[in-house]
Amino acid sequence: MIKPIFCAGVFAASLALVGCDKAASVAGSAGSSAKAAGGEALTKARAEIMDNFDVKAIEEKISKMSGDAKATAETKLADFKKLVDEFKAAPMEKMSEWKDKLTKAFNELKTSVGF
């Protein structure tokens, strides 16, 4: 015969296991939600920073240029685009540093095309 104390212990342990599984599931989905929200915030921060740079106007201006000035401007534009690609992979904690780097590079680019 099984003693009632043992049965109660097994039942309590099984409830605890079910509770742990449920807690792990809830924690996992909360972590996923937080990660998604963090990803959305990062995307929004990147978009806000990139809105400060009118690359199309620079490209139009460069297309009207000629000679060494055009070559220099095209090089600076290519460098700026490389920075943008690196910026897109940067973590949220580095956004202010990247904003400064991009602003400096863009200002140099604008100067080279006569803006």
Side-chain angles (χ1 to χ4, degrees):
M1 179 172 167
I2 300 176
K3 295 184 180 180
I5 295 173
F6 176 74
C7 290
V10 170
F11 179 71
S14 65
L15 282 179
L17 286 175
V18 170
C20 289
D21 290 343
K22 179 72 174 170
S25 173
V26 170
S29 68
S32 297
S33 297
K35 187 175 182 179
E40 289 173 17
L42 183 60
T43 301
K44 185 177 178 183
R46 286 182 181 142
E48 287 176 4
I49 290 171
M50 289 307 299
D51 286 344
N52 296 318
F53 309 116
D54 188 8
V55 176
K56 290 191 188 262
I58 298 291
E59 290 172 333
E60 289 174 14
K61 185 84 169 181
I62 290 173
S63 69
K64 297 174 185 174
M65 297 172 75
S66 63
D68 290 339
K70 183 175 185 171
T72 301
E74 286 175 336
T75 301
K76 288 188 183 271
L77 179 61
D79 292 343
F80 179 75
K81 287 182 176 183
K82 285 178 189 174
L83 276 177
V84 169
D85 289 339
E86 292 174 20
F87 162 72
K88 288 178 181 179
M92 186 68 159
E93 347 20 278
K94 301 285 184 172
M95 285 296 115
S96 64
E97 292 174 33
W98 275 101
K99 182 178 180 181
D100 294 342
K101 284 181 186 180
L102 288 170
T103 300
K104 182 180 177 186
F106 190 73
N107 288 337
E108 289 174 6
L109 178 59
K110 283 189 339 186
T111 302
S112 73
V113 298
F115 272 131

